[in-house]
Amino acid sequence: MQDFVYQSAPMRVVFGAGTLRQLPDELSRIGVSRAVVLATPRQNDLVADIREMIGERFAGVFTGAVMHTPVEVTERAMETVREVQADGIVAIGGGSTTGLGKAIALRTDLPQIVLPTSYAGSEMTPVVGQTSGGIKTTQSSPKILPEIVIYDVDLTMTMPAKLSATSGINAIAHAVEALYARDRNPIISLMAQEGIGTLARTLPKICAEPGDKAARTDALYGAWFCGVCLGAVGMALHHKLCHTLGGLFNLPHAETHTVILPHALAYNAPGAPEAMTRIATALGVPDPALGLQDLARKLVAPLSLREIGMPESGIDQAADLAVTNPYWNPRPIEREAIGALIARAWRGDPPQTAS
Protein backbone atom coordinates (compact mmCIF):
# COMPACT_ATOMS: atom_id res chain seq x y z
CA MET A 1 0.00 0.00 0.00
CA GLN A 2 1.23 3.49 -0.84
CA ASP A 3 2.08 6.02 1.88
CA PHE A 4 -0.67 8.58 2.24
CA VAL A 5 -2.05 11.53 4.18
CA TYR A 6 -5.77 11.78 4.94
CA GLN A 7 -7.35 14.94 6.34
CA SER A 8 -11.05 15.17 7.14
CA ALA A 9 -12.87 18.39 6.24
CA PRO A 10 -14.08 20.40 9.30
CA MET A 11 -17.73 20.69 8.27
CA ARG A 12 -21.16 19.47 9.32
CA VAL A 13 -23.46 17.50 7.01
CA VAL A 14 -27.19 17.05 7.60
CA PHE A 15 -28.61 14.39 5.25
CA GLY A 16 -32.13 13.12 4.70
CA ALA A 17 -35.61 14.02 3.53
CA GLY A 18 -37.28 17.14 4.91
CA THR A 19 -34.03 18.32 6.48
CA LEU A 20 -34.63 21.88 5.23
CA ARG A 21 -36.72 22.39 8.36
CA GLN A 22 -33.51 22.17 10.39
CA LEU A 23 -32.19 25.39 8.84
CA PRO A 24 -33.19 27.65 11.79
CA ASP A 25 -31.36 25.42 14.26
CA GLU A 26 -28.29 25.22 12.02
CA LEU A 27 -28.19 29.03 11.72
CA SER A 28 -28.25 29.22 15.50
CA ARG A 29 -25.46 26.65 15.68
CA ILE A 30 -23.06 28.96 13.82
CA GLY A 31 -24.38 32.19 15.34
CA VAL A 32 -25.96 33.76 12.23
CA SER A 33 -28.56 36.43 12.97
CA ARG A 34 -28.66 38.19 9.57
CA ALA A 35 -28.46 35.75 6.66
CA VAL A 36 -28.23 36.80 3.04
CA VAL A 37 -29.90 34.17 0.86
CA LEU A 38 -28.34 33.38 -2.52
CA ALA A 39 -30.40 31.76 -5.27
CA THR A 40 -31.46 31.94 -8.89
CA PRO A 41 -34.87 33.13 -10.08
CA ARG A 42 -35.99 29.48 -10.34
CA GLN A 43 -35.80 29.21 -6.55
CA ASN A 44 -38.12 32.16 -5.81
CA ASP A 45 -40.77 29.96 -4.17
CA LEU A 46 -38.15 28.23 -2.05
CA VAL A 47 -36.68 31.58 -1.03
CA ALA A 48 -40.14 32.65 0.13
CA ASP A 49 -40.43 29.49 2.23
CA ILE A 50 -37.04 30.13 3.80
CA ARG A 51 -37.92 33.72 4.52
CA GLU A 52 -40.96 32.57 6.47
CA MET A 53 -38.99 29.79 8.16
CA ILE A 54 -36.13 31.89 9.53
CA GLY A 55 -38.09 35.10 10.18
CA GLU A 56 -36.01 38.00 11.46
CA ARG A 57 -32.80 36.27 10.49
CA PHE A 58 -33.66 36.78 6.80
CA ALA A 59 -31.60 39.89 6.01
CA GLY A 60 -31.92 39.95 2.22
CA VAL A 61 -31.66 37.98 -1.01
CA PHE A 62 -29.55 37.99 -4.18
CA THR A 63 -30.94 35.94 -7.07
CA GLY A 64 -28.36 36.71 -9.73
CA ALA A 65 -26.12 33.63 -9.44
CA VAL A 66 -24.88 32.33 -12.81
CA MET A 67 -22.56 29.55 -13.91
CA HIS A 68 -18.77 29.90 -13.82
CA THR A 69 -18.98 32.55 -11.04
CA PRO A 70 -18.10 35.69 -13.03
CA VAL A 71 -16.31 38.22 -10.83
CA GLU A 72 -18.67 41.00 -11.91
CA VAL A 73 -21.64 39.01 -10.55
CA THR A 74 -19.81 38.44 -7.28
CA GLU A 75 -19.17 42.18 -7.03
CA ARG A 76 -22.90 42.88 -7.41
CA ALA A 77 -23.70 40.28 -4.77
CA MET A 78 -21.14 41.86 -2.45
CA GLU A 79 -23.10 45.13 -2.68
CA THR A 80 -26.16 43.29 -1.34
CA VAL A 81 -24.11 41.67 1.44
CA ARG A 82 -22.86 45.07 2.57
CA GLU A 83 -26.25 46.79 2.24
CA VAL A 84 -28.09 44.25 4.42
CA GLN A 85 -25.16 43.90 6.87
CA ALA A 86 -25.22 40.13 6.56
CA ASP A 87 -23.33 38.02 9.06
CA GLY A 88 -23.90 34.72 7.25
CA ILE A 89 -24.75 33.13 3.90
CA VAL A 90 -27.45 30.65 2.91
CA ALA A 91 -26.90 29.38 -0.64
CA ILE A 92 -29.69 27.44 -2.34
CA GLY A 93 -29.22 25.71 -5.65
CA GLY A 94 -26.56 23.98 -7.74
CA GLY A 95 -22.97 24.80 -8.51
CA SER A 96 -23.66 28.37 -9.63
CA THR A 97 -25.19 29.45 -6.34
CA THR A 98 -22.73 27.46 -4.27
CA GLY A 99 -19.85 29.02 -6.18
CA LEU A 100 -21.20 32.50 -5.57
CA GLY A 101 -21.50 31.83 -1.83
CA LYS A 102 -17.94 30.56 -1.73
CA ALA A 103 -16.67 33.59 -3.67
CA ILE A 104 -18.35 35.87 -1.12
CA ALA A 105 -16.93 33.84 1.77
CA LEU A 106 -13.46 34.16 0.26
CA ARG A 107 -13.81 37.93 0.40
CA THR A 108 -15.59 38.21 3.75
CA ASP A 109 -15.02 34.97 5.71
CA LEU A 110 -18.76 34.87 6.44
CA PRO A 111 -20.06 31.44 7.55
CA GLN A 112 -22.02 29.50 4.97
CA ILE A 113 -24.89 27.03 4.93
CA VAL A 114 -25.47 25.35 1.56
CA LEU A 115 -28.73 23.72 0.46
CA PRO A 116 -27.85 21.77 -2.72
CA THR A 117 -30.57 21.16 -5.31
CA SER A 118 -28.32 19.23 -7.72
CA TYR A 119 -25.47 16.72 -7.60
CA ALA A 120 -22.72 19.30 -8.26
CA GLY A 121 -20.60 18.47 -5.21
CA SER A 122 -18.78 21.79 -4.93
CA GLU A 123 -20.41 22.38 -1.54
CA MET A 124 -17.93 19.87 -0.11
CA THR A 125 -14.77 21.67 -1.24
CA PRO A 126 -12.55 24.57 -0.11
CA VAL A 127 -12.10 25.55 -3.76
CA VAL A 128 -13.84 28.19 -5.87
CA GLY A 129 -13.54 28.72 -9.62
CA GLN A 130 -14.03 32.30 -10.80
CA THR A 131 -14.21 33.67 -14.34
CA SER A 132 -12.81 36.98 -15.57
CA GLY A 133 -12.27 37.95 -19.20
CA GLY A 134 -13.15 34.46 -20.40
CA ILE A 135 -10.50 32.82 -18.20
CA LYS A 136 -11.60 30.60 -15.32
CA THR A 137 -9.16 30.21 -12.45
CA THR A 138 -9.44 28.33 -9.18
CA GLN A 139 -8.42 29.29 -5.68
CA SER A 140 -8.36 27.31 -2.44
CA SER A 141 -8.71 28.61 1.10
CA PRO A 142 -10.17 27.41 4.42
CA LYS A 143 -12.50 30.41 4.23
CA ILE A 144 -14.14 28.94 1.13
CA LEU A 145 -15.29 25.67 2.72
CA PRO A 146 -18.94 25.87 3.87
CA GLU A 147 -19.52 25.30 7.57
CA ILE A 148 -22.75 23.33 7.09
CA VAL A 149 -24.34 21.48 4.18
CA ILE A 150 -27.99 20.44 4.43
CA TYR A 151 -28.78 17.69 1.95
CA ASP A 152 -32.55 17.47 1.60
CA VAL A 153 -33.65 14.85 -0.93
CA ASP A 154 -36.94 16.73 -1.31
CA LEU A 155 -35.06 19.66 -2.87
CA THR A 156 -33.86 17.40 -5.71
CA MET A 157 -37.23 15.87 -6.56
CA THR A 158 -38.11 18.53 -9.14
CA MET A 159 -34.73 18.46 -10.88
CA PRO A 160 -35.49 17.62 -14.54
CA ALA A 161 -34.30 14.24 -15.78
CA LYS A 162 -31.91 15.86 -18.28
CA LEU A 163 -30.25 17.99 -15.60
CA SER A 164 -30.17 15.04 -13.20
CA ALA A 165 -28.22 13.07 -15.80
CA THR A 166 -25.56 15.68 -16.51
CA SER A 167 -25.29 16.79 -12.88
CA GLY A 168 -24.81 13.16 -11.88
CA ILE A 169 -22.07 12.54 -14.44
CA ASN A 170 -20.42 15.78 -13.32
CA ALA A 171 -20.34 14.26 -9.82
CA ILE A 172 -18.90 11.01 -11.17
CA ALA A 173 -16.07 13.05 -12.73
CA HIS A 174 -14.92 14.17 -9.28
CA ALA A 175 -14.60 10.58 -8.13
CA VAL A 176 -12.93 9.41 -11.34
CA GLU A 177 -10.12 11.94 -11.00
CA ALA A 178 -9.80 11.25 -7.27
CA LEU A 179 -8.86 7.65 -8.10
CA TYR A 180 -5.71 8.72 -9.95
CA ALA A 181 -4.94 11.92 -8.02
CA ARG A 182 -1.35 12.48 -6.98
CA ASP A 183 -2.46 12.77 -3.32
CA ARG A 184 -5.03 9.95 -3.43
CA ASN A 185 -5.49 7.79 -0.35
CA PRO A 186 -7.33 4.54 0.46
CA ILE A 187 -10.25 6.24 2.23
CA ILE A 188 -11.03 8.58 -0.65
CA SER A 189 -10.55 5.76 -3.17
CA LEU A 190 -13.21 3.71 -1.37
CA MET A 191 -15.58 6.67 -1.37
CA ALA A 192 -14.85 7.36 -5.05
CA GLN A 193 -15.63 3.83 -6.16
CA GLU A 194 -18.81 3.78 -4.07
CA GLY A 195 -19.91 7.15 -5.44
CA ILE A 196 -19.33 6.15 -9.07
CA GLY A 197 -21.16 2.86 -8.67
CA THR A 198 -24.11 4.37 -6.81
CA LEU A 199 -24.68 7.11 -9.37
CA ALA A 200 -24.22 4.78 -12.34
CA ARG A 201 -26.94 2.51 -10.91
CA THR A 202 -29.39 5.22 -9.90
CA LEU A 203 -29.23 7.80 -12.70
CA PRO A 204 -30.97 5.52 -15.25
CA LYS A 205 -33.76 4.95 -12.70
CA ILE A 206 -34.18 8.69 -12.17
CA CYS A 207 -34.28 9.41 -15.90
CA ALA A 208 -36.91 6.69 -16.34
CA GLU A 209 -38.92 7.83 -13.33
CA PRO A 210 -37.92 11.28 -11.98
CA GLY A 211 -40.25 10.88 -8.99
CA ASP A 212 -38.48 7.76 -7.68
CA LYS A 213 -37.59 9.01 -4.20
CA ALA A 214 -35.49 5.99 -3.27
CA ALA A 215 -33.34 6.49 -6.39
CA ARG A 216 -33.11 10.23 -5.67
CA THR A 217 -31.93 9.47 -2.14
CA ASP A 218 -29.25 7.07 -3.34
CA ALA A 219 -28.11 9.51 -6.03
CA LEU A 220 -27.73 12.33 -3.53
CA TYR A 221 -25.77 10.00 -1.25
CA GLY A 222 -23.48 9.06 -4.15
CA ALA A 223 -23.06 12.70 -5.15
CA TRP A 224 -22.09 13.56 -1.57
CA PHE A 225 -19.35 10.92 -1.67
CA CYS A 226 -18.11 12.28 -5.00
CA GLY A 227 -18.14 15.81 -3.58
CA VAL A 228 -16.04 14.68 -0.62
CA CYS A 229 -13.52 13.28 -3.13
CA LEU A 230 -13.41 16.61 -4.96
CA GLY A 231 -12.70 18.43 -1.71
CA ALA A 232 -10.08 16.00 -0.39
CA VAL A 233 -7.61 15.47 -3.23
CA GLY A 234 -6.34 17.27 -6.29
CA MET A 235 -7.93 17.04 -9.72
CA ALA A 236 -6.15 16.71 -13.08
CA LEU A 237 -6.70 16.90 -16.85
CA HIS A 238 -10.47 16.47 -16.91
CA HIS A 239 -11.21 19.39 -14.59
CA LYS A 240 -8.56 21.56 -16.28
CA LEU A 241 -10.16 21.00 -19.68
CA CYS A 242 -13.67 21.65 -18.39
CA HIS A 243 -12.62 24.91 -16.72
CA THR A 244 -10.81 25.96 -19.89
CA LEU A 245 -13.72 25.19 -22.20
CA GLY A 246 -16.36 26.58 -19.88
CA GLY A 247 -14.52 29.84 -19.33
CA LEU A 248 -13.62 30.38 -23.00
CA PHE A 249 -16.98 29.58 -24.56
CA ASN A 250 -19.41 29.97 -21.64
CA LEU A 251 -20.46 26.34 -22.02
CA PRO A 252 -22.90 24.78 -19.55
CA HIS A 253 -20.87 23.33 -16.68
CA ALA A 254 -22.41 19.89 -16.11
CA GLU A 255 -22.85 19.21 -19.82
CA THR A 256 -19.20 20.03 -20.47
CA HIS A 257 -18.13 17.55 -17.78
CA THR A 258 -20.44 14.93 -19.29
CA VAL A 259 -18.91 15.26 -22.75
CA ILE A 260 -15.26 15.51 -21.72
CA LEU A 261 -15.09 12.82 -19.01
CA PRO A 262 -14.83 9.71 -21.23
CA HIS A 263 -12.17 11.35 -23.40
CA ALA A 264 -10.08 12.60 -20.47
CA LEU A 265 -10.26 9.18 -18.84
CA ALA A 266 -9.16 7.45 -22.03
CA TYR A 267 -6.25 9.89 -22.33
CA ASN A 268 -5.12 9.10 -18.78
CA ALA A 269 -5.73 5.35 -18.92
CA PRO A 270 -2.09 4.36 -19.68
CA GLY A 271 -0.91 6.27 -16.60
CA ALA A 272 -3.60 5.05 -14.21
CA PRO A 273 -4.21 1.30 -14.59
CA GLU A 274 -5.38 0.77 -10.99
CA ALA A 275 -7.91 3.60 -11.29
CA MET A 276 -9.18 2.14 -14.56
CA THR A 277 -9.78 -1.20 -12.86
CA ARG A 278 -11.68 0.41 -9.99
CA ILE A 279 -13.83 2.51 -12.34
CA ALA A 280 -14.59 -0.48 -14.56
CA THR A 281 -15.63 -2.46 -11.48
CA ALA A 282 -17.86 0.36 -10.26
CA LEU A 283 -19.53 0.67 -13.67
CA GLY A 284 -19.68 -3.06 -14.32
CA VAL A 285 -18.06 -2.71 -17.76
CA PRO A 286 -14.76 -3.86 -19.35
CA ASP A 287 -13.76 -0.41 -20.69
CA PRO A 288 -14.54 2.46 -18.29
CA ALA A 289 -14.09 5.27 -20.84
CA LEU A 290 -16.52 3.66 -23.29
CA GLY A 291 -18.72 2.72 -20.35
CA LEU A 292 -19.03 6.35 -19.26
CA GLN A 293 -19.93 7.47 -22.77
CA ASP A 294 -22.46 4.64 -23.00
CA LEU A 295 -23.97 5.78 -19.69
CA ALA A 296 -24.35 9.31 -21.06
CA ARG A 297 -25.94 7.90 -24.21
CA LYS A 298 -28.38 5.83 -22.14
CA LEU A 299 -29.33 8.96 -20.19
CA VAL A 300 -29.85 10.89 -23.45
CA ALA A 301 -27.16 13.34 -22.33
CA PRO A 302 -25.01 15.30 -24.80
CA LEU A 303 -22.07 13.42 -26.30
CA SER A 304 -20.34 16.26 -28.17
CA LEU A 305 -19.09 19.77 -27.50
CA ARG A 306 -20.74 20.79 -30.77
CA GLU A 307 -24.15 20.00 -29.23
CA ILE A 308 -23.60 22.33 -26.29
CA GLY A 309 -22.43 25.37 -28.23
CA MET A 310 -18.67 25.17 -28.72
CA PRO A 311 -17.48 26.44 -32.14
CA GLU A 312 -15.20 24.15 -34.12
CA SER A 313 -12.87 27.12 -34.62
CA GLY A 314 -12.17 27.10 -30.88
CA ILE A 315 -10.48 23.69 -30.75
CA ASP A 316 -6.92 24.97 -31.22
CA GLN A 317 -7.46 27.94 -28.89
CA ALA A 318 -8.75 25.63 -26.15
CA ALA A 319 -5.87 23.18 -26.62
CA ASP A 320 -3.31 25.98 -26.45
CA LEU A 321 -4.80 27.34 -23.23
CA ALA A 322 -5.15 23.89 -21.66
CA VAL A 323 -1.39 23.31 -21.86
CA THR A 324 -0.30 26.84 -20.94
CA ASN A 325 0.11 26.41 -17.19
CA PRO A 326 1.78 23.14 -16.09
CA TYR A 327 -0.22 20.94 -13.73
CA TRP A 328 0.11 17.39 -12.45
CA ASN A 329 -1.53 14.60 -14.43
CA PRO A 330 -0.92 10.84 -14.45
CA ARG A 331 0.03 11.04 -18.13
CA PRO A 332 2.21 13.86 -19.52
CA ILE A 333 0.24 16.70 -21.10
CA GLU A 334 1.02 16.81 -24.83
CA ARG A 335 -0.32 19.63 -27.00
CA GLU A 336 -0.98 17.53 -30.10
CA ALA A 337 -2.75 14.80 -28.14
CA ILE A 338 -4.85 17.33 -26.20
CA GLY A 339 -5.90 18.97 -29.45
CA ALA A 340 -6.94 15.57 -30.83
CA LEU A 341 -8.87 14.82 -27.63
CA ILE A 342 -10.83 18.08 -27.84
CA ALA A 343 -11.51 17.48 -31.55
CA ARG A 344 -12.93 14.02 -30.81
CA ALA A 345 -15.04 15.46 -28.01
CA TRP A 346 -16.28 18.22 -30.32
CA ARG A 347 -17.44 15.65 -32.87
CA GLY A 348 -18.78 13.21 -30.30
CA ASP A 349 -16.50 10.37 -31.39
CA PRO A 350 -15.82 7.37 -29.13
CA PRO A 351 -13.00 8.01 -26.62
CA GLN A 352 -9.60 6.80 -27.80
CA THR A 353 -7.13 5.18 -25.43
CA ALA A 354 -3.45 5.42 -26.33
CA SER A 355 -1.73 2.09 -26.83
Side-chain angles (χ1 to χ4, degrees), residues 62 73-85:
F62 180 85
V73 173
T74 302
E75 289 166 1
R76 292 200 298 271
M78 284 295 300
E79 293 175 6
T80 299
V81 170
R82 288 189 289 265
E83 287 171 3
V84 303
Q85 298 181 320

Side-chain angles (χ1 to χ4, degrees), residues 33-315:
S33 60
R34 294 187 58 79
V36 61
V37 177
L38 308 177
T40 65
R42 289 188 305 173
Q43 277 98 34
N44 280 336
D45 290 345
L46 184 54
V47 170
D49 292 341
I50 288 175
R51 182 170 196 157
E52 182 177 354
M53 182 184 302
I54 66 177
E56 294 179 352
R57 282 181 284 192
F58 187 98
V61 61
F62 180 85
T63 58
V66 296
M67 64 181 182
H68 304 307
T69 319
V71 293
E72 60 270 21
V73 173
T74 302
E75 289 166 1
R76 292 200 298 271
M78 284 295 300
E79 293 175 6
T80 299
V81 170
R82 288 189 289 265
E83 287 171 3
V84 303
Q85 298 181 320
D87 63 0
I89 301 164
V90 174
I92 312 159
S96 297
T97 310
T98 302
L100 177 59
K102 293 162 77 171
I104 293 170
L106 176 63
R107 291 159 172 78
T108 63
D109 203 19
L110 291 177
Q112 306 170 74
I113 296 180
V114 181
L115 299 163
T117 61
S118 75
Y119 306 134
S122 61
E123 66 276 356
M124 298 304 297
T125 80
V127 178
V128 64
Q130 302 180 89
T131 303
S132 178
I135 305 298
K136 188 170 185 178
T137 57
T138 58
Q139 188 169 348
S140 180
S141 167
K143 294 190 292 186
I144 296 170
L145 186 70
E147 279 70 17
I148 298 171
V149 177
I150 300 177
Y151 287 108
D152 188 337
V153 177
D154 293 343
L155 298 182
T156 68
M157 295 300 297
T158 58
M159 185 168 32
K162 183 177 180 180
L163 177 58
S164 299
T166 55
S167 182
I169 296 178
N170 178 20
I172 287 173
H174 310 328
V176 164
E177 291 227 294
L179 284 169
Y180 52 65
R182 176 169 50 181
D183 53 349
R184 65 190 180 276
N185 63 73
I187 305 301
I188 292 302
S189 293
L190 287 170
M191 296 183 77
Q193 189 167 339
E194 173 74 2
I196 293 168
T198 300
L199 282 163
R201 290 190 301 272
T202 56
L203 290 175
K205 296 178 183 178
I206 290 170
C207 288
E209 179 48 66
D212 185 337
K213 193 165 185 175
R216 290 282 189 185
T217 300
D218 289 346
L220 191 59
Y221 164 82
W224 169 36
F225 268 35
C226 293
V228 172
C229 295
L230 177 65
V233 297
M235 298 288 106
L237 173 65
H238 170 78
H239 282 75
K240 174 68 173 181
L241 285 178
C242 290
H243 284 172
T244 298
L245 293 165
L248 274 178
F249 308 112
N250 198 35
L251 302 181
H253 181 80
E255 288 85 345
T256 304
H257 279 267
T258 299
V259 172
I260 289 294
L261 181 58
H263 300 279
L265 181 59
Y267 182 97
N268 280 333
E274 181 182 345
M276 294 291 285
T277 299
R278 281 183 172 271
I279 298 163
T281 300
L283 295 173
V285 298
D287 185 317
L290 287 173
L292 285 168
Q293 192 176 66
D294 287 343
L295 175 62
R297 184 178 291 108
K298 182 188 300 184
L299 301 177
V300 198
L303 301 180
S304 71
L305 294 172
R306 173 171 46 189
E307 291 175 69
I308 61 174
M310 178 181 163
E312 185 176 13
S313 60
I315 292 173

